[in-house]
Amino acid sequence: MNTTLTLVSDQDSALSYLDKARKHHTQAAIAKHLGVGVRTISRWEARQTSPPAYLAHALQQLLPFGEESPAGTFDFIDLFAGIGGLRKAFEQVGGRCVFTSEWDTYAQRTYAENFRDGHPIAGDITQVQAADIPDHDVLLAGFPCQPFSIAGVSKKNALGKAHGFACETQGTLFFDVARIIETKRPRAFLLENVKNLVSHDKGRTFDVIRRTLTEVLGYHIHYRVIDGAHFVPQHRERILIVGFREPIAFDFDALPLPPKGEHKLKDILHRTDGSEPVLPWDEGRFFDYKKQRQQDKYTLTDNLWLYLQNYAAKHRAKGNGFGFGLVKPGDVTRTLSARYYKDGSEILVYQDTRKNPRRLTPRECARLMGYPDTFRIPVSDTRAYKLFSQAAVVPMVEYAAKLMVAQLNLGEKAPEAIEVPKDIMATTRWTKEQLKLAFHLYCQLPFGRLHSRNPEIIQLAKLIGRTPGAVAMKLVNFASLDPAITSTGRAGLGNAGSLDKEVWAEFHADWEKLALECSLLNAQLRKEKLSDEVIELDVAEQEGLQDFTGETKRVVTEQRIKQHFFRRAVLSSYRGRCCISGLSDARLLTASHIVPWSSDKINRLNPSNGLCLSAIHDKAFDRGLITISDGYEVVLSEQLKRNNDAFVAQIFLPLEGRRIELPEKFIPSIAFLSRHRNEIFIDAAGQ
């Protein structure tokens, strides 16, 4: 396994956040937030003891509002923002929000609590002049869906009111999106709405939207109805409309949709086995940690439960399908609706035969929509239910965001001609050497950074005499060859040629050759020596590297280049997060080999032989204290489970059976995982 820094760095981060938080909060306030005593805070400040590493994030949450958003690879605006589902998805692929509009005061409060910006939240978008909105690359809008939804149409029909574009208060809000697009001309936009938008008014509503975007505004659009059940345990079909100012080879199939059914209700329910994470910002509103169960108020009263059963029975007798939706941990729920706060009837969680079912808690609703536990809920339960019912499914939007950012900024002018060695770049067409360099870079970049403004893509483009846009497109094309995509029957972008496939196959057969050959090509093009490559390695990557074969200094240099490539390939595939804990501090992450480096020379650099793990999880995996099942679930050794150490109980025991976060590409090989269980895992070895 690769050598990494120790967990002391994480403690240092916690102390750093504590020092910053003390500039804005008293010791008592911090102590209450963390659930510790004031004397404990004093000891941490005096450096007599150190705060636990896992408190770093909770301390970070205490930092003040009003800080400018960090620079992103592109800027976007968030219209009809709600509680920020679209924004969260696009921030996760490198974007920066420069303008927000949302009129609902409860949504504004929730949004401001979770996104700490320098810019204010604009209210009524109809009162905002398009010229006053900052320039941006991408426009996001989840424009109001009530006029187009099945429930909204039924209600307005019953009341004799107009709907669709005839609805003066809501239906025309789409045209506020259109006027902003017309004025600001962003490179791209994403609009999110209900599935029924396509069929509303026999398709005439969507036809007006389509013609406005294409014929009037001149954008090239792509749309698809996607079920949130691909990403969360909830059937929630929404239409995503993606538009580009320039013609783009965009394809929703370039990334595979995860199979439905992988995510179950149990993944989002409060854990009653003692492993429910303590969230100080929830202040015990939703979960009783002493009793290890959700608060009793979410269980239906006898009267309400009897009413719902009678109501369902009455409609069954009439042959109708109305009734409550009772779900168990292994199920996928119905769509969370705006009326959920009334009785929770569409999603009732079964408890047992002796106890009435219950509603989801607002925290569980947040999880059901794909929001992390760090997302704060500062409003009442009633308001929270409404807000989450109107929110976007974050991982579903992130799926589209990854596809979009790969296509931004294509079509710029080619750089000035550079002198390229003739024996490497022989023709104006893509050569095998160029493709090797492109594939080498593809392996080391997250999908969200496959765009033409990425400095590494720009640098490679200059080296090989291509435009950054052409290189970005080539990197996206390689995704269509990924087995994770082709195994689902999808064709990706469909632009990968025979030479692309040859390069893919060649280096999947010999990863070490890929790393060294491409480093040599890069060095030759930059007119540098191979040994200079080592200078670019991070300190963490240079520490502890060994000459495994006992050869020359040149081989040691090559060894470092190989490990540098493997680390970047694995960390980028997992988006820089530990697949078990979610830790995202690169200083504390390891590109951990499933089958050890010394045991399989052919697969030393194969990213499918890697897991992104925190230092402590890497050590446990390396020593065989934990392993991963074929279903990608964490398995603890009996030796570890018998350990009476309090730290082990807190950090490791809750992991049993937890499914790891799978990477975007280079999914861990089942064969490698099997070898780890049979050859490394302590239980299998009988130790």
Side-chain angles (χ1 to χ4, degrees):
M1 300 293 172
N2 294 350
T3 301
T4 61
L5 301 179
T6 67
L7 284 175
V8 173
S9 296
D10 216 10
Q11 293 174 338
D12 290 344
S13 296
L15 286 170
S16 175
Y17 288 135
L18 174 63
D19 293 340
K20 293 177 181 178
R22 281 289 285 121
K23 295 178 181 179
H24 307 279
H25 303 280
T26 64
Q27 288 182 335
I30 295 174
K32 180 180 179 181
H33 176 75
L34 299 179
V36 299
V38 174
R39 290 185 178 180
T40 299
I41 303 296
S42 297
R43 287 194 293 271
W44 290 347
E45 285 197 274
R47 300 304 192 262
Q48 295 174 353
T49 59
S50 295
Y54 64 84
L55 287 180
H57 184 78
L59 285 163
Q60 186 182 26
Q61 292 292 323
L62 288 170
L63 300 185
F65 293 104
E67 297 180 357
E68 290 291 335
S69 299
T73 55
F74 63 94
D75 292 340
F76 66 87
I77 64 172
D78 195 9
L79 307 180
F80 308 103
I83 58 175
L86 300 183
R87 170 174 176 163
K88 181 165 285 292
F90 274 78
E91 282 187 336
Q92 290 175 179
V93 297
R96 178 181 67 162
C97 185
V98 295
F99 176 83
T100 301
S101 173
E102 171 53 49
W103 71 275
D104 183 271
T105 55
Y106 297 99
Q108 288 179 345
R109 180 181 173 188
T110 305
Y111 192 101
E113 185 79 12
N114 288 281
F115 301 102
R116 306 178 177 193
D117 291 320
H119 68 257
I121 299 176
D124 187 355
I125 192 62
T126 65
Q127 304 302 310
V128 177
Q129 296 296 317
D132 295 335
I133 294 175
D135 293 337
H136 51 277
D137 300 299
V138 180
L139 176 147
L140 308 179
F143 60 98
C145 61
Q146 289 92 334
F148 310 124
S149 70
I150 294 172
V153 170
S154 300
K155 181 178 180 181
K156 288 178 181 290
N157 282 337
L159 296 175
K161 294 184 178 181
H163 53 82
F165 286 107
C167 175
E168 294 297 324
T169 59
Q170 292 175 312
T172 58
L173 287 174
F174 166 74
F175 291 105
D176 287 288
V177 176
R179 69 181 174 86
I180 294 171
I181 293 176
E182 182 179 28
T183 301
K184 305 305 295 187
R185 303 298 295 172
R187 295 180 181 272
F189 60 75
L190 180 138
L191 311 180
E192 186 258 4
N193 212 297
V194 295
K195 171 188 177 181
N196 199 44
L197 178 65
V198 179
S199 58
H200 177 266
D201 195 18
K202 298 181 180 180
R204 285 188 283 269
T205 296
F206 186 72
D207 186 57
V208 174
I209 291 176
R210 181 191 59 77
R211 286 189 285 105
T212 301
L213 295 173
T214 58
E215 298 174 15
V216 178
L217 299 176
Y219 277 73
H220 306 266
I221 71 168
H222 311 262
Y223 61 91
R224 176 164 294 182
V225 173
I226 300 177
D227 189 347
H230 289 286
F231 304 92
V232 295
Q234 174 191 188
H235 287 297
R236 189 180 186 86
E237 292 184 302
R238 291 296 184 266
I239 184 172
L240 300 180
I241 307 172
V242 172
F244 293 93
R245 192 176 62 199
E246 309 296 337
I248 294 296
F250 181 86
D251 189 344
F252 273 107
D253 288 335
L255 271 181
L257 282 169
K260 292 184 182 180
E262 283 194 346
H263 301 279
K264 304 293 187 182
L265 185 64
K266 64 181 180 180
D267 299 333
I268 65 98
L269 294 179
H270 292 297
R271 301 169 186 167
T272 58
D273 60 356
S275 62
E276 176 70 12
V278 177
L279 307 179
W281 40 88
D282 282 356
E283 298 180 335
R285 287 173 54 192
F286 315 123
F287 191 78
D288 187 328
Y289 290 95
K290 291 183 179 179
K291 297 180 180 179
Q292 286 299 310
R293 69 187 187 199
Q294 71 287 336
Q295 295 291 356
D296 292 337
K297 65 179 179 179
Y298 298 107
T299 296
L300 300 189
T301 63
D302 291 339
N303 287 339
L304 179 55
W305 179 223
L306 180 61
Y307 166 78
L308 291 176
Q309 292 178 90
N310 291 338
Y311 181 82
K314 180 178 69 173
H315 280 282
R316 279 197 302 271
K318 295 180 179 180
N320 298 330
F322 298 113
F324 54 83
L326 193 64
V327 289
K328 296 182 179 181
D331 294 334
V332 175
T333 75
R334 297 177 181 180
T335 301
L336 183 68
S337 75
R339 67 172 304 283
Y340 190 72
Y341 73 95
K342 293 183 178 180
D343 54 31
S345 61
E346 66 263 35
I347 307 174
L348 291 177
V349 182
Y350 176 82
Q351 299 197 83
D352 59 50
T353 56
R354 298 166 298 175
K355 195 172 185 180
N356 296 343
R358 67 174 180 87
R359 293 182 178 91
L360 295 171
T361 71
R363 173 56 61 195
E364 290 170 328
C365 289
R367 295 170 178 172
L368 191 65
M369 300 301 296
Y371 287 82
D373 280 353
T374 52
F375 192 86
R376 300 189 178 213
I377 307 173
V379 295
S380 69
D381 286 6
T382 296
R383 294 295 177 181
Y385 286 135
K386 289 183 178 180
L387 292 176
F388 284 119
S389 73
Q390 297 164 355
V393 176
V394 176
M396 182 172 76
V397 178
E398 187 181 357
Y399 158 83
K402 292 173 185 175
L403 293 170
M404 289 181 66
V405 297
Q407 304 296 336
L408 295 179
N409 305 305
L410 301 181
E412 62 274 18
K413 294 182 179 180
E416 296 182 4
I418 60 174
E419 182 178 353
V420 179
K422 294 182 179 180
D423 57 335
I424 294 181
M425 310 303 172
T427 69
T428 57
R429 301 172 66 87
W430 278 90
T431 67
K432 192 171 184 179
E433 288 75 18
Q434 290 174 327
L435 290 174
K436 288 177 181 178
L437 291 172
F439 181 70
H440 182 255
L441 184 57
Y442 164 81
C443 293
Q444 300 179 76
L445 293 180
F447 197 95
R449 293 185 60 198
L450 303 185
H451 54 77
S452 57
R453 284 201 296 182
N454 186 322
E456 292 185 76
I457 290 179
I458 293 173
Q459 181 186 49
L460 178 59
K462 290 180 179 179
L463 287 177
I464 64 177
R466 299 276 176 185
T467 67
V471 174
M473 178 64 77
K474 181 58 67 177
L475 300 189
V476 175
N477 287 344
F478 275 122
S480 67
L481 301 176
D482 194 322
I485 296 176
T486 56
S487 63
T488 65
R490 301 180 185 275
L493 292 179
N495 294 327
S498 58
L499 195 55
D500 299 345
K501 297 175 183 177
E502 182 179 339
V503 169
W504 176 279
E506 179 179 344
F507 289 111
H508 271 71
D510 194 340
W511 288 96
E512 290 199 323
K513 180 181 178 183
L514 166 69
L516 287 177
E517 183 173 343
C518 289
S519 293
L520 286 167
L521 283 172
N522 266 302
Q524 183 176 351
L525 291 172
R526 295 198 305 265
K527 298 181 180 180
E528 297 174 354
K529 296 180 180 180
L530 181 63
S531 59
D532 293 338
E533 294 281 325
V534 183
I535 299 174
E536 300 178 2
L537 298 182
D538 295 337
V539 173
E541 293 167 337
Q542 294 189 47
E543 289 184 2
L545 296 179
Q546 304 173 37
D547 176 6
F548 287 90
T549 58
E551 296 178 23
T552 63
K553 181 179 179 180
R554 180 185 63 81
V555 175
V556 175
T557 299
E558 293 178 357
Q559 190 73 28
R560 291 175 174 175
I561 292 171
K562 293 175 186 177
Q563 291 195 334
H564 175 63
F565 166 80
F566 182 76
R567 175 179 169 82
R568 289 201 66 195
V570 172
L571 265 63
S572 68
S573 294
Y574 287 86
R575 292 172 292 180
R577 294 201 295 263
C578 171
C579 65
I580 292 179
S581 67
L583 178 70
S584 60
D585 190 330
R587 297 169 299 178
L588 303 174
L589 296 177
T590 295
S592 182
H593 284 82
I594 301 172
V595 177
W597 175 283
S598 58
S599 299
D600 191 341
K601 182 180 185 298
I602 295 177
N603 289 299
R604 283 178 176 176
L605 303 190
N606 185 347
S608 293
N609 186 31
L611 298 171
C612 182
L613 296 174
S614 70
I616 191 167
H617 294 108
D618 167 68
K619 181 66 71 174
F621 188 78
D622 188 28
R623 297 296 177 89
L625 294 171
I626 63 175
T627 191
I628 307 296
S629 71
D630 288 349
Y632 301 110
E633 295 178 337
V634 178
V635 179
L636 303 185
S637 67
E638 291 300 320
Q639 183 180 120
L640 194 61
K641 287 189 282 190
R642 291 194 300 267
N643 194 310
N644 294 323
D645 186 273
F647 180 85
V648 170
Q650 182 178 15
I651 300 300
F652 285 101
L653 295 189
L655 301 179
E656 180 74 21
R658 180 184 298 180
R659 198 167 192 267
I660 66 171
E661 184 74 19
L662 292 178
E664 294 176 323
K665 51 190 178 183
F666 304 127
I667 293 176
S669 164
I670 297 296
F672 296 149
L673 292 175
S674 178
R675 286 184 59 183
H676 184 273
R677 292 196 303 272
N678 294 330
E679 301 173 9
I680 309 298
F681 191 46
I682 286 178
D683 286 3
Q687 299 180 23

